Structures are given as C-alpha cells and as structure tokens.
Amino acid sequence: MKLVLKNGYVFDPINGIDGEKMDIFIEDGRIVEEVKGEAEVIDCSGMVVMPGGVEIHSHIAGGKVNTARLMRPEDHLRNVSPRTAITRSVCGYSTPSTFLTGYAYSKLGYTTAFTAALPPLMARHTHEELHDIPMLDKGALTVMGNNWLVMRYLSEGRIEHACAYVAWLLRATKGYAIKAVNPGGSEAWGWGRDVRSLSDRVPHFDITPREIISGLMEINERLSLPHSLHLHPNNLGRVGNVSTTLETLELTREVKPSRERQVLQLTHAQFHSYGGDSWRNFSSAAESIAEAVNSSDRLVLDMGQVVFGDTTTMTADGPMEYYLSSLTGLKWANKDIELETAPGVTPFVYSEKSPVSGVQWAIGLELALLVREPMKVMLTTDHPNGAPFFTYPKIIGWLMSARSRERVLNSLHPQAQRNTVLGSLDREYTFQEICWVTRAAQAKSLGLENKGHLGAGADADVAVYPVNPEETDPSREYEKVERAFSATAYTVKAGEVVVRNGEVVRVVSGRTLYVDARVDGELEREVLADVDYYFKRFYSVNLANYPVQEVYLTSPQAVKVDAGVR
Amino acid sequence: MLEPVSQPECGLVAEVVSCDVFAGRSRKEIEELEVYAGNRRRKLGDFFSVSGSAADSPEETRIVIAGSVERTKWIGRGMSAGEIVVEGSTGMYTGAWMKGGRIVVKGSVDSFAGMMMDGGELVVQGDAGDYLGCAYRGEWRGMRGGSIVVHGNAGSEAGHCLSGGRVTVKGRAESFAGVRMHSGLLVLGSAERRVGAQMTGGSIVVLAETELLPSFELIERVTSPEIEGVRFEGVFEVYAGDLAERNAKGRVYVKVE
C-alpha cells in the first residue's frame, strides 16, 4: 500500500520542518523517503499537514469511565448518531461511548491516545474497553501512587524490590507508564481522610507523599522507562494549592534522568496552579508554575484546560471528588480499588458567570502561553474533567488568537478578569507550536520514537487540515482555524486513509502499546512471594486471575526495556 | 386528523406527531413520516389514516387524534407551537421537551408526560402515570417552564426535579411528588406520603392534609396566600424543607381549613 500526500504545508517540528511545501511518502504503514511505482496520490495543496495527533492524558477507558457512563444517562442524549455501513451507533459527550471516542479523535486528526489512569485491578476491564475503541493506537498509564506494596517497599527503603514490583505490575497490567494520583491521599481516603501536604503521613504506612513521589521518580529512572513519572499531585482543585505543587516540582532536582526527557510530567497543571486563600480571592498562580517549568529541563506539563459547559469529572482522587460533590450537591460515585486506589466521579458545570470557573479557564491558557518552549506544553483538557476532548479546536483557536481569548475574557466575571494575567499576554501560537502541543511534545514526553513526527521510519499517522497557513491569519480568522481543526480533510492511520472531509471512511483497530521492563529474576521471585502473600491475605481476587494476557489487547506491541536492576 | 387504524404489539415511537413536523407537509408526506414499531422502521400511515391538511406554520396547525393510542409514545416531542388534541389516551413521554403550543389529552397519559418541558401547555383530562413533568433519567435539571394540568390522579414522583413552570394535579398524587424539585410550583389535590423529599426550592401546595417527612419544619400558618403568583383560598400550614438538603429553601403549603 503506497500513498503520497502531495504538496501540503508540512509541519514537523521534531525534524525542523516549519510549514514547508513538500510531499510525504508512505509505504507499508511507514513514512519513507520516497515511493517507487504505482501509488495513490492525495492532493494536499493549500492544506496543513501534521503528524497524527497524540493524546497523552484522557480518561477514555477504565472502571470510572464506565461508572460515569452509568451515572450520566442524560449525557447520552448528546451526539446521538445511528450506525452507518461502517460505523457503530454512538452517543455521549462527557462520557462518550468507546466507538465515538475513536471516531471523534480520528476526525480531530488524532491517531494515538493514552488513557490517563489504569487501576491495576481494573486492568482487564480497561483493556477490554480499549479493545472497543477503534481508529487509535492506545496505551494506559498504570496508577501506583497509593499502592500498598509500592508504599511498603519505599517505606522500608527496599528500592530494588520496589523497582521489580513496578516492572512486574506494568507487565501484569499491560501498562505503559507510572501514574500517581494524589499520592497517599487516596489511601488515606479509605479511612475517610486525605493528605493535605507533602509531609502528612499516610495512615498505617510509615511514609509521606513526598517519599512516594521521590521514590516513584527514582524507580522510573532506575527502570529507564520510556515516559517519566506522570503525576497528579496532592491537593488538586484546592484554593492555594500552588505551594504544594511548587514543593512537588522541587523534588525533581534530586532525580537524574535516565533518558533524554523530563523526569516528571505535571499533568492537568491548571488544576494545580491556584493562588489565594479562600474561594473569594481565588486567583491564578500560573506564573510561578510556568517559571518553575521554564527554569528546569526536567519538567513538562499538560494544560488540563477548562472549557465552559457541562461535563463529568472523574479521577483516582477519591477525596477530591467527594469534596467537589459536597460543593455542588450533585450526584457522586466512589469506587474502592482495594489495595491500589480509590476513584470518584461527579458531574460539574463550568459557568462563565462563576468567578472560579473564569479563573480556571484563564489558568490553562496562561500556562500554555507563559511556558516558553512549546515542547514542554501539551494540550489536554484532562478529558472529561476540564472539558470533553471535542473542545480541542476551540482551545487551538484561543492559543492562536489573543483576540478570541479577549472576547471570552471580556464576558467573564470581573473577579476572573482581575485575578488572572491572561489579558496581558499577547503571545499567539503558530501552526508549528500547535503541532508541538498536540502531538510532537506528547511523543517526546512518552518516548514514542515513531510518533509525533514525519521523518522516514515514523508510523504513517498523518493529519491533513483544510486550512491554508499562508492565506490565513489565525489571529483574526480564528473561527476558520477552529473549523479546520474540528474535522480533518484526511486522517491517515498506519498508511490508510481513515477519515476524509470529516467523515470516517474506514474503521481500523489500532495497536496497544505497553512496556515490558525486565529485572533480575531472583529479585522478581522475592517480590512475587510478597505479591502472593498480599493476594492471599487482602485481595478479593486470585493472583492467577490478575495479570492481563496479551490476548486482551488489540495488536499488542511491547516496548522492551532491559532495566538492568539487580 | 389522525385516525388510529392499528397499534403495534410493542411501542410505537412517533415523535413525528408534532405540529412542527406536520406544518407545510402534504397529506401524503405526513403518511410517509418515519416511525418505529419496536426496532422496525415503518410509516405513520401504517398506523393512522390521515385526513385534512396541515397549515403552513406550526402555529396554525391543529392535529386531532381521533381515538386512544396507548402504545404511541413521544407525541408532541419538542413541539414549539400549534395544538394537538387527543380524543382518547396516549402512551409514554407525551409532550416531552415541549417548548410551546398546547396538547390536550381527553383520556389519560402514561408515564413521563411533559418530561423536561420548557414551555407550552399540557392538559390531561384523565389520569397521568408516574413521573409527570419529570427530568430525563439521570438529569437533575428538570422541567423549566410551561404548565401541566391533570384533572385526574397522578402516579409517583410527579414534578420530579421540577426547575420551573407549573404542574397541577387536581386529584391525588402518589408518593414522592416534587422529589428533588428546585423551583416552580406543584399543586396537588391530595398527596400520598413523602411530598417534596429532597426538595431544595420552589413551592408545593397540597389542598388536603398529608403526612410530611420529619425533615420539614412548620414555620407559620397563613390565610389565602399568594404562591408563585397564584392565589389560594383557605388556611394553610407552611413547612420549610427538605432540611435534609443543604441550603434548602423549599416550601410546602398544606391546606388545613
């Protein structure tokens, strides 16, 4: 299968190509230098050509996603669409069905997506859901920040055992990276409590959030995993949480990266950049977070942008979701994941009239505009927590146009205008920078060598957007840009055209990536004896039923890492 | 005029029976409108014999269903203007998401009548099933406007999550009328237990004595009060609640004399 994408304006920042008119050659699912002989030619004249989008943090599969679907039948009234000859019937907005998730991402030009939180005990279910998401290559971030064995090994100073356990857990859950959510806090929630600072002690474990975070970063680098630690810090959504976040970012100074990448991804940074000391003087602290990222080569962040409207919040941060539902009085669900984590779910409405929502909206954009290097920023909404991913084109419009931001800012509560700096920022993203924050930075951060760029050997995942960068002024014509990014002219997945003019024309299944990290066999045997004991003593399932076999994954692709941990 | 010819074994999904849809369509086009009998796609003309002609605008359109259609669901869904008169009874979801106009049912309506209504008028001369004027499943923001009047009795959870507008049941309402209501007015001839459970705002008027939950507190006794712009004759005990909810500002007026 050969394909030529002819004469488009190509944006490929990893390879230093910035809007050059050129052809992209594809053969057997890969980008190649050129193709010989018969090939399908697609005319991309006057259009933007980018690598396929890479989603790094989106709640698209897992126990709480399904809980949210059960909890929000009213959300299923949105995006209702009957089946076609090739696509399934779909529905949902903040809790879209698996099929819609795949189709909709593909229409936005995305070809890869990582689900933000995979609790190990829910791994089989999560992979079954990922199996049902078409169009995308997928991966999952395994949640470990409140895991009993991780906390025990770390508190006992047995770092090699912790490494061996983490490596085994990644393989058992077919996960791609280490995710930590409110480290120590979700465990404390099992006792009706939370942790509010890095120095609080986790009930019944001789450990603090600080030690868990530092420990997980050290494990990550000892194992030399492709991605860094992916961290949802403590105190999400709390007024004045910036001090906790900055203290957390400081911990990266002590960690030596094992690869050319950051040692920490601060995820949905917007929710962790709050100043003030009460909801009345709630303010943006984006400047100090951006400064921390600017002055470090070990940090990246994703935005966690808020877009006004009705959505569903879901995280493995049980105490936070309870706190939020007690503020709104709306329905709430809690899931207990035994020795591992405790997610919660509750709907939320971000209102333009609310000073708090207004500040939240501004913070995400401030972070993206204040962090100087676009390779350190990733566009996310923490789908669906800040907003469903359907809103990405709107966010691209805001990033590219100060005018479009100003329009929204002027309609907000005066307090939101006063307590943010967004109005003073005139930076406007270029197409190249958009390419960084929607795919290239993600691929770098995740250590995906074949994604996020269009060099020879890369996966032939390409998005072609119907907008002419030479004839369009995004600053003024932001609506046109938004339209272009809402529906690709072509999405190419593994060398096949899957979307044409915003319509899915071919349904493909994609692959599932996971990390297979190996450690010394003797060490692993010792760890498995402990695992066995924990299962017999505490878990409600049998150890034999716990690890997920490859058969549960669509086209599994193991990323092998010889961790060298002895 | 729609004359029912037959009704399917299972429900007939007929949201096309609406003045908005009929307006400007010929008799033939109306017969061709798509309905679902279970999961089978059929034509409206398979179940109704159509006569007369539709006006050009929904406002001037009047639909008469000359008989009982208890298995026909979604009549008048989302209708914005015009009038539907049903000579008999209708199935579930009559007048759901209605925005304007008027639906008169001379018989009874099944459950979920007037669900998520935004405006307009639904008059039922017989009884209503459960969830009269309710919110959609899972939704906490219910009916926002318009008016529902039921001359007979209503089932459970009438006015569920009511967020505006007016629901009147002249007869008796079963349990949990006004459950989780936020605003608006719910008037009940009489009511079974647990009126206004979890209500946070709005007013419920019960024109006969009823047993309230212990989370309602008697605050005063008033004579011929005006409630949400309507005057009620007689002596009423006023209860505040549901105090089990945060910041609850609901009122239940119970007629005692």
Side-chain angles (χ1 to χ4, degrees):
Chain A
M1 177 78 191
K2 295 176 194 172
L3 189 64
V4 184
L5 302 175
K6 212 165 175 56
N7 213 24
Y9 295 98
V10 175
F11 293 88
D12 180 7
I14 287 176
N15 293 309
I17 298 165
D18 184 3
E20 262 174 62
K21 242 187 202 182
M22 56 190 279
D23 303 339
I24 300 292
F25 301 96
I26 292 167
E27 189 166 356
D28 297 331
R30 299 253 167 218
I31 308 280
V32 291
E33 297 285 358
E34 62 175 328
V35 292
K36 292 199 175 77
E38 281 285 294
E40 187 188 341
V41 178
I42 292 177
D43 181 15
C44 299
S45 304
M47 296 200 256
V48 163
V49 177
M50 287 186 184
V54 180
E55 172 62 85
I56 196 165
H57 187 108
S58 177
H59 296 269
I60 54 175
K64 62 185 172 304
V65 179
N66 238 12
T67 301
R69 289 190 184 112
L70 287 170
M71 208 173 131
R72 297 218 62 190
E74 74 279 18
D75 187 71
H76 305 179
L77 286 171
R78 305 178 72 172
N79 289 328
V80 174
S81 184
R83 71 173 179 192
T84 69
I86 55 166
T87 58
R88 304 272 292 250
S89 64
V90 299
C91 67
Y93 178 62
S94 67
T95 59
S97 62
T98 49
F99 301 103
L100 177 57
T101 302
Y103 306 145
Y105 262 119
S106 198
K107 286 181 197 180
L108 295 176
Y110 279 74
T111 49
T112 306
F114 281 71
T115 190
L118 169 138
L121 196 55
M122 301 302 290
R124 195 178 308 276
H125 168 86
T126 306
H127 282 292
E128 282 173 336
E129 261 190 80
L130 288 177
H131 187 278
D132 254 9
I133 298 179
M135 316 301 280
L136 304 170
D137 287 344
K138 291 146 288 195
L141 311 179
T142 303
V143 174
M144 304 188 192
N146 293 275
N147 186 297
W148 285 18
L149 260 171
V150 168
M151 290 194 290
R152 186 182 131 192
Y153 286 139
L154 288 177
S155 69
E156 291 170 356
R158 293 157 74 193
I159 190 79
E160 289 85 4
H161 287 78
C163 288
Y165 174 63
V166 166
W168 175 79
L169 197 57
L170 281 173
R171 219 171 328 119
T173 60
K174 298 290 178 282
Y176 186 84
I178 306 175
K179 165 93 184 287
V181 179
N182 188 4
S186 300
E187 170 58 25
W189 177 237
W191 304 94
R193 291 151 64 185
D194 193 0
V195 293
R196 300 301 301 278
S197 87
L198 292 187
S199 310
D200 283 8
R201 300 212 82 77
V202 181
H204 305 283
F205 285 88
D206 185 20
I207 200 164
T208 61
R210 177 182 290 106
E211 289 158 356
I212 299 173
I213 296 164
S214 292
L216 285 173
M217 283 194 287
E218 188 179 343
I219 293 167
N220 199 87
E221 298 317 311
R222 282 196 187 215
L223 290 174
S224 189
L225 299 178
H227 186 36
S228 66
L229 173 62
H230 194 99
L231 180 67
H232 156 153
N234 305 100
N235 282 336
L236 180 144
R238 302 266 182 178
V239 179
N241 62 14
V242 62
S243 55
T244 306
T245 311
L246 288 172
E247 214 185 318
T248 304
L249 300 185
E250 277 292 306
L251 300 175
T252 58
R253 288 178 188 274
E254 306 302 321
V255 187
K256 207 172 141 296
S258 61
R259 292 178 178 231
E260 259 187 65
R261 54 146 170 74
Q262 75 285 353
V263 296
L264 183 73
Q265 170 147 357
L266 169 61
T267 194
H268 37 67
Q270 175 273 130
F271 289 112
H272 303 279
S273 307
Y274 298 161
D277 46 31
S278 83
W279 292 114
R280 265 188 289 281
N281 63 12
F282 179 72
S283 62
S284 165
E287 281 174 302
S288 45
I289 298 294
E291 178 45 37
V293 174
N294 281 332
S295 61
S296 167
D297 56 0
R298 297 180 185 185
L299 284 172
V300 296
L301 61 78
D302 64 81
M303 293 160 68
Q305 177 66 30
V306 157
V307 183
F308 301 110
D310 178 338
T311 193
T312 310
T313 67
M314 54 181 80
T315 113
D317 190 341
M320 195 288 293
E321 292 289 356
Y322 174 73
Y323 170 64
L324 187 61
S325 73
S326 69
L327 287 178
T328 61
L330 298 181
K331 53 190 170 180
W332 163 74
N334 185 72
K335 278 179 82 75
D336 173 51
I337 312 287
E338 306 192 3
L339 287 62
E340 298 173 349
T341 181
V345 182
T346 190
F348 195 78
V349 181
Y350 293 100
S351 159
E352 271 157 309
K353 293 187 203 114
S354 147
V356 172
S357 297
V359 171
Q360 290 179 305
W361 170 81
I363 291 174
L365 296 170
E366 287 173 358
L367 288 167
L369 297 166
L370 287 166
V371 172
R372 281 189 296 272
E373 295 164 276
M375 58 278 274
K376 289 181 174 176
V377 179
M378 291 159 241
L379 192 163
T380 63
T381 54
D382 186 17
H383 164 83
N385 287 300
F389 67 84
F390 299 97
T391 57
Y392 282 7
K394 222 171 187 42
I395 300 169
I396 290 174
W398 288 327
L399 289 172
M400 296 189 88
S401 165
R403 206 177 299 228
S404 97
R405 298 195 292 267
E406 202 183 298
R407 226 179 39 131
V408 178
L409 197 59
N410 289 340
S411 69
L412 300 183
H413 192 281
Q415 195 181 321
Q417 302 183 28
R418 227 176 17 247
N419 292 351
T420 57
V421 297
L422 187 64
S424 65
L425 304 176
D426 51 13
R427 179 173 169 194
E428 293 180 329
Y429 270 45
T430 59
F431 282 101
Q432 184 79 327
E433 286 171 324
I434 291 297
C435 190
W436 270 116
V437 303
T438 51
R439 48 265 283 163
Q442 283 83 342
K444 282 261 180 209
S445 172
L446 288 163
L448 295 169
E449 285 165 10
N450 296 330
K451 294 193 182 290
H453 72 98
L454 295 171
D459 292 344
D461 296 349
V462 192
V464 182
Y465 296 103
V467 59
N468 187 325
E470 290 202 338
E471 289 171 6
T472 309
D473 173 9
S475 177
R476 275 188 312 108
E477 298 169 274
Y478 52 87
E479 280 166 342
K480 188 171 155 191
V481 171
E482 281 171 31
R483 266 197 307 279
F485 279 99
S486 323
T488 58
Y490 303 95
T491 304
V492 177
K493 176 86 199 79
E496 291 181 297
V497 175
V498 291
V499 172
R500 183 174 289 138
N501 295 328
E503 293 301 322
V504 174
V505 292
R506 191 182 173 85
V507 176
V508 294
S509 65
R511 295 169 296 166
T512 301
L513 308 169
Y514 73 95
V515 162
D516 181 0
R518 298 279 167 178
V519 298
D520 174 65
E522 181 54 36
L523 196 57
E524 185 167 301
R525 269 190 293 282
E526 280 176 41
V527 165
L528 281 176
D530 288 337
V531 172
D532 191 50
Y533 170 77
Y534 268 53
F535 269 84
K536 288 201 172 107
R537 179 82 175 74
F538 302 113
Y539 268 102
S540 67
V541 300
N542 198 313
L543 175 57
N545 295 327
Y546 186 76
V548 178
Q549 298 83 354
E550 274 205 341
V551 68
Y552 279 85
L553 280 57
T554 41
S555 315
Q557 191 182 353
V559 178
K560 289 200 191 303
V561 181
D562 181 10
V565 175
R566 303 279 179 262
Chain B
M1 167 94 83
L2 298 176
E3 197 163 340
V5 178
S6 72
Q7 287 275 285
E9 193 82 4
C10 49
L12 182 70
V13 176
E15 61 197 51
V16 292
V17 180
S18 150
C19 298
D20 294 52
V21 177
F22 278 25
R25 281 193 156 88
S26 69
R27 192 175 65 87
K28 183 101 184 88
E29 283 169 334
I30 290 170
E31 281 171 349
E32 296 285 319
L33 287 169
E34 192 176 272
V35 293
Y36 278 84
N39 63 358
R40 299 220 174 108
R41 193 182 302 183
R42 304 280 296 273
K43 291 174 191 160
L44 188 63
D46 296 345
F47 301 98
F48 294 92
S49 118
V50 183
S51 59
S53 62
D56 288 338
S57 72
E59 288 80 6
E60 300 158 285
T61 300
R62 183 164 186 266
I63 301 171
V64 178
I65 300 179
S68 265
V69 287
E70 277 128 346
R71 279 203 286 273
T72 301
K73 302 190 281 190
W74 299 105
I75 290 172
R77 177 178 176 162
M79 193 167 93
S80 67
E83 186 180 40
I84 299 178
V85 177
V86 185
E87 305 282 2
S89 298
T90 61
M92 292 194 283
Y93 306 105
T94 304
W97 276 286
M98 195 172 159
K99 293 190 279 289
R102 183 177 149 92
I103 299 177
V104 179
V105 180
K106 297 202 171 158
S108 296
V109 291
D110 206 337
S111 299
F112 305 104
M115 180 176 80
M116 300 298 282
M117 226 167 110
D118 223 353
E121 207 184 338
L122 172 63
V123 179
V124 180
Q125 292 180 346
D127 300 330
D130 297 328
Y131 291 102
L132 172 70
C134 67
Y136 182 73
R137 198 163 57 102
E139 183 58 84
W140 63 93
R141 300 152 292 196
M143 170 172 167
R144 288 190 304 181
S147 136
I148 301 177
V149 178
V150 175
H151 289 270
N153 302 324
S156 297
E157 305 202 26
H160 153 261
C161 292
L162 192 67
S163 306
R166 220 172 265 172
V167 178
T168 304
V169 178
K170 298 214 165 163
R172 186 170 178 77
E174 286 174 32
S175 303
F176 288 106
V179 59
R180 297 197 69 200
M181 89 181 243
H182 311 299
S183 64
L185 175 63
L186 176 62
V187 182
L188 309 169
S190 66
E192 264 184 50
R193 302 177 304 157
R194 296 172 191 167
V195 168
Q198 289 188 283
M199 79 189 287
T200 58
S203 302
I204 301 177
V205 179
V206 189
L207 300 170
E209 288 203 38
T210 189
E211 183 192 334
L212 287 176
L213 287 164
S215 49
F216 283 82
E217 188 186 15
L218 177 64
I219 50 170
E220 60 178 332
R221 193 177 247 258
V222 294
T223 306
S224 302
E226 191 180 296
I227 305 162
E228 314 263 339
V230 185
R231 195 175 166 82
F232 292 87
E233 297 300 332
V235 179
F236 290 82
E237 282 182 346
V238 187
Y239 292 83
D242 178 340
L243 301 177
E245 297 296 302
R246 216 170 32 134
N247 300 327
K249 295 189 181 70
R251 292 285 181 273
V252 178
Y253 295 78
V254 180
K255 188 168 180 175
V256 288
E257 286 174 31

